[in-house]
Amino acid sequence: MAQLRAQISPVRLRSWLLGHSCSLLSININTAMQREYMSEATRPTIVHKRSVDIIHDPWFNKGTAFSMTERDRLDLRGLLPPNVMSLKQQIDRFMLDMKRLKDTVKDGPADTTALAKWRILNRLHDRNETMYYKVLIDNIEEYAPIVYTPTVGLVCQNYSGLFRRPRGMYFSASDRGEMMSMVYNWPADQVDMIVVTDGSRILGLGDLGVQGIGIAIGKLDLYVAAAGMNPQRVLPVMIDCGTNNEQLLKDPLYLGLPIHRLDGEEFVSVIDEFMEAVFTRWPHVIVQFEDFQSKWAFKLLQRYRNHYRMFNDDVQGTAGVAVAGLLGAVRAQGRPMSDIAKQKIVVAGAGSAGIGVLNAARKTMARMLGNTASALENARYQFWVVDAMGLITEERRNLDPDAAPFARKVEELGPQGLREGSNLAEVVKKVKPDVLLGLSAVGSLFSKEVLEALKESTCTRPAIFAMSNPTKNAECTAQQAFDTVGDHIVFASGSPFPDVDLGNGKIGRCNQGNNMYLFPGIGLGTHLSGSRIISDGMLQAAAECLAGYMEEKEVLNGIIYPSISSIRDITSKVAAAVLTEAVSEDLAEGYRDTDAKALCRMSKEETLQHVKNNMWVPNYSPLVYHKQ
């Protein structure tokens, strides 16, 4: 019994015992059940359902892996085939099905193949979450592009037709006044992570309305796989405030409200009510805003970031990954990361992602130079920002306040031969930048003319970042970049591209600047630190950690981002950096039994181990039934 108690957490054991009238000494646990507990690496879990109810619950279902003792105590005997299989055997069978699919559709269109894979994975997700995440973690490099970018964009476009069963929660404009009670409809007493979207700007695909829920589901799959967030404690959310997509409004199968989007104070009041409701029920939850249109992304971030544990991945996550890439590009030139403050950067795109990157890069430059006000002011002169109307200067009418700090002064432009509205090719030709950074969501924006202009760069190893998603919105392909500019460049993109064969045994490396390098670690580090907010310093620490992850030899070979196959190791280190920064800024309040003082006493190695110890691992836990 002492051994059994060591396996079961005190809270769960106490909860279980309270439901029984017998004393501890009179509890009769058969020997087989004890052996089962002792052989498992995970602690038993108390469940309040049995029979077919447990089989139909993806949180607890094990399918053919239920042991015979579990089948007896959960009333499952006879409801499953008699052969008890291991998790590995189940996965082997699943992968065989996936191989048959690949063989069947290998000659079909890429989109059809990707959607077919998504459907099979989604069905597994619906019936057995433990097995689903084990498959995803073990095959992350292959399946991350299926559960997230770029396939998730295709899923969102077709979500009304693909919908089979609900996942997550839906709050809408018609729920105003009811959200505080609605949050208690969610069955989990504890939620650690919420990803929320209003569907107004899904990737580079525009307004997809309620169908954007797919983006929140995909992000949280990566939180579980990469950061080890407990899947029973994550919640995807759609806030449906209507859509301005006329095609969806006319579609009789559309699942969202058939109304035009709310705007102004009416829209804000819905988001306010949602935030108050979720933080009332779950005070320690972290909310990640995802794919809100640019006009609201910054406003909502500024409205909530100093009051709630929240961040916007499009603004801050994209910025962090881009900054890590910029730092990596400096390293690839054989220079220290502090030389980022000397880089000339032309930025194409001034939406929420573009402005987010500009602000983050500027702060990083200032941080490298001592974090003074003068360093922050001087950093603005390293950027030339081009939007749909051309180069942004102080002469721009109705200048966006968020872009104003990066508008070039007119007197600076004369010697360069530039003016308000100069096109991208002109700007690249005159500035001769070290970095060409695309965050425009305009496919093929980096035309042959633009890339030819970059050949005049004074940098020994210019960098091209075509960061827009999905693939069709990338500013250029890796092949186009290497073919036009030369084999000496550093190339990165938001969506995956294959490496380029340059001939003579040389390979042009295509780095994917994927947000999944950072947002899982930002969320996990914040969660474990118990930080009251997510500060700029915590975000910068995450970016710098990622930039320093690669070995010097790899960076000099043009590899500035690590392999996705290492994502759990990357995430653990990023989370440790975020946690450490939260402690240094006196923001950490601790998590569970680890208070702020304990976090302060941890060495760098102990902090990393603490993070790894708190990452969920997909193993089957023995289930114990307790009637509520």
Side-chain angles (χ1 to χ4, degrees):
M1 180 56 68
Q3 287 177 303
L4 176 59
R5 290 175 61 192
Q7 288 288 320
I8 305 179
S9 69
V11 173
R12 282 180 172 166
L13 182 63
R14 185 165 57 251
S15 171
W16 187 57
L17 292 178
L18 286 173
H20 296 70
S21 57
C22 57
S23 68
L24 178 63
L25 292 176
S26 65
I27 293 177
N28 179 25
I29 301 176
N30 64 53
T31 305
M33 186 173 169
Q34 288 190 43
R35 279 201 303 269
E36 179 190 357
Y37 285 154
M38 300 317 129
S39 65
E40 292 282 355
T42 53
R43 292 173 173 174
T45 298
I46 307 299
V47 293
H48 305 298
K49 55 182 70 174
R50 289 184 293 190
S51 190
V52 292
D53 290 337
I54 207 81
I55 296 175
H56 293 158
D57 188 333
W59 281 357
F60 302 113
N61 179 36
K62 304 181 188 180
T64 55
F66 280 109
S67 68
M68 295 312 294
T69 53
E70 282 181 311
R71 296 182 190 205
D72 284 338
R73 67 177 178 266
L74 297 174
D75 296 340
L76 292 174
R77 190 180 280 265
L79 301 183
L80 294 163
N83 188 13
V84 177
M85 304 188 79
S86 68
L87 177 57
K88 182 182 182 304
Q89 288 174 307
Q90 289 180 311
I91 291 173
D92 287 343
R93 187 173 60 191
F94 173 82
M95 296 305 289
L96 189 61
D97 281 345
M98 190 63 86
K99 183 178 184 301
R100 291 193 189 106
L101 168 73
K102 292 177 186 176
D103 292 340
T104 303
V105 300
K106 64 182 178 181
D107 297 323
D111 285 355
T112 302
T113 303
L115 261 185
K117 289 180 180 178
W118 179 87
R119 286 174 187 271
I120 290 181
L121 286 166
N122 190 56
R123 287 198 291 268
L124 177 60
H125 197 180
D126 284 342
R127 66 179 183 267
N128 186 331
E129 289 211 346
T130 302
M131 182 176 164
Y132 171 75
Y133 286 113
K134 179 67 173 172
V135 169
L136 183 56
I137 290 169
D138 289 350
N139 302 274
I140 191 69
E141 203 160 10
E142 179 181 0
Y143 291 151
I146 302 299
V147 302
Y148 196 58
T149 301
T151 306
V152 71
L154 191 62
V155 170
C156 289
Q157 287 176 299
N158 297 278
Y159 199 78
S160 289
L162 293 169
F163 178 85
R164 295 294 179 271
R165 58 182 291 177
R167 184 178 298 281
M169 289 195 74
Y170 297 80
F171 296 81
S172 75
S174 61
D175 296 318
R176 281 174 284 188
E178 301 293 334
M179 294 184 194
M180 191 64 77
S181 59
M182 283 173 64
V183 292
Y184 290 92
N185 292 339
W186 188 249
D189 290 330
Q190 180 61 47
V191 171
D192 298 329
M193 195 78 217
I194 289 174
V195 175
V196 59
T197 184
D198 71 342
S200 58
R201 191 198 63 80
I202 298 300
L203 299 173
L205 302 170
D207 186 345
L208 296 182
V210 77
Q211 299 186 158
I213 184 69
I215 209 83
I217 294 168
K219 282 279 186 182
L220 285 169
D221 279 350
L222 297 183
Y223 264 112
V224 176
M229 288 286 193
N230 189 322
Q232 295 182 27
R233 293 186 170 198
V234 301
L235 173 60
V237 170
M238 160 55 61
I239 300 182
D240 184 4
C241 291
T243 178
N244 292 333
N245 185 323
E246 294 298 331
Q247 186 177 350
L248 292 178
L249 290 173
K250 295 173 184 176
D251 184 354
L253 299 180
Y254 178 58
L255 295 170
L257 293 178
I259 62 172
H260 285 97
R261 281 196 173 277
L262 301 184
D263 206 355
E265 287 303 313
E266 204 174 9
F267 172 76
V268 174
S269 68
V270 174
I271 310 300
D272 279 351
E273 185 179 346
F274 164 76
M275 292 294 279
E276 183 181 2
V278 296
F279 279 95
T280 296
R281 185 178 183 196
W282 302 298
H284 303 294
V285 72
I286 302 166
V287 176
Q288 175 182 311
F289 277 59
E290 188 72 27
D291 285 359
F292 282 71
Q293 59 185 311
S294 298
K295 67 178 286 186
W296 286 115
F298 274 103
K299 290 177 182 177
L300 295 176
L301 177 61
Q302 296 308 319
R303 185 176 184 86
Y304 302 128
R305 68 172 306 187
N306 294 321
H307 306 287
Y308 295 116
R309 303 170 82 200
M310 61 80 63
F311 70 108
N312 184 303
D313 186 51
D314 303 299
V315 177
Q316 296 164 299
T318 299
V321 171
V323 167
L326 294 175
L327 291 167
V330 175
R331 290 183 66 197
Q333 297 167 12
R335 300 159 67 181
M337 285 196 289
S338 59
D339 274 7
I340 188 176
K342 301 175 183 177
Q343 298 276 288
K344 293 180 293 183
I345 303 173
V346 170
V347 181
S352 59
I355 297 299
V357 170
L358 286 165
N359 284 322
R362 184 184 178 193
K363 288 172 183 174
T364 299
M365 290 176 176
R367 184 174 164 118
M368 294 290 184
L369 296 176
N371 232 2
T372 64
S374 62
L376 187 63
E377 174 61 23
N378 290 334
R380 69 186 291 274
Y381 295 106
Q382 301 305 119
F383 302 96
W384 286 258
V385 185
V386 181
D387 65 4
M389 293 183 287
L391 180 64
I392 297 176
T393 75
E394 291 180 338
E395 287 188 331
R396 175 70 60 90
R397 292 182 180 179
N398 301 317
L399 179 60
D400 183 345
D402 294 319
F406 303 97
R408 302 299 299 195
K409 296 181 183 298
V410 177
E411 57 268 23
E412 301 167 5
L413 302 179
Q416 295 177 324
L418 295 172
R419 64 193 184 288
E420 162 64 33
S422 290
N423 66 40
L424 181 59
E426 288 180 285
V427 174
V428 172
K429 191 174 185 66
K430 299 292 185 182
V431 173
K432 298 177 173 54
D434 302 289
V435 179
L436 176 58
L437 176 57
L439 293 153
S440 64
V442 179
S444 302
L445 180 66
F446 294 170
S447 62
K448 189 170 183 64
E449 182 186 9
V450 171
L451 294 174
E452 287 282 358
L454 188 62
K455 291 170 73 173
E456 298 185 30
S457 170
T458 55
C459 180
T460 57
R461 196 167 197 181
I464 300 172
F465 289 78
M467 301 296 281
S468 293
N469 285 315
T471 308
K472 69 176 185 178
N473 287 356
E475 286 77 8
C476 70
T477 67
Q479 188 78 52
Q480 290 167 338
F482 282 102
D483 284 351
T484 304
V485 186
D487 59 9
H488 62 299
I489 64 169
V490 173
F491 180 85
S493 57
S495 291
F497 286 105
D499 288 341
V500 177
D501 184 354
L502 301 174
N504 299 320
K506 292 183 178 180
I507 299 294
R509 299 295 183 182
C510 178
N511 298 276
Q512 187 188 1
N514 195 321
N515 282 22
M516 77 177 286
Y517 285 123
L518 283 190
F519 71 78
I522 292 169
L524 180 61
T526 302
H527 172 60
L528 296 180
S529 72
S531 176
R532 300 183 293 277
I533 61 169
I534 300 176
S535 69
D536 286 337
M538 292 161 68
L539 296 166
Q540 289 167 16
E544 290 169 22
C545 175
L546 176 59
Y549 187 86
M550 302 301 299
E551 297 290 338
E552 197 70 22
K553 182 180 178 182
E554 294 172 305
V555 173
L556 293 176
N557 282 329
I559 305 173
I560 58 174
Y561 291 116
S563 168
I564 291 294
S565 62
S566 304
I567 192 61
R568 279 182 74 99
D569 184 60
I570 297 163
T571 297
S572 65
K573 289 181 170 62
V574 169
V578 170
L579 192 160
T580 299
E581 182 65 23
V583 169
S584 70
E585 293 183 29
D586 199 26
L587 293 172
E589 295 183 348
Y591 168 72
R592 289 186 178 173
D593 298 330
T594 309
D595 60 20
K597 290 182 179 179
L599 293 175
C600 287
R601 291 193 296 268
M602 288 183 184
S603 66
K604 183 177 179 179
E605 292 74 18
E606 289 170 335
T607 300
L608 180 59
Q609 191 58 51
H610 175 67
V611 168
K612 290 181 177 180
N613 290 344
N614 281 282
M615 294 172 74
W616 178 81
V617 177
N619 289 319
Y620 286 140
S621 168
L623 303 183
V624 178
Y625 173 72
H626 168 54
K627 186 176 181 179
Q628 284 182 305

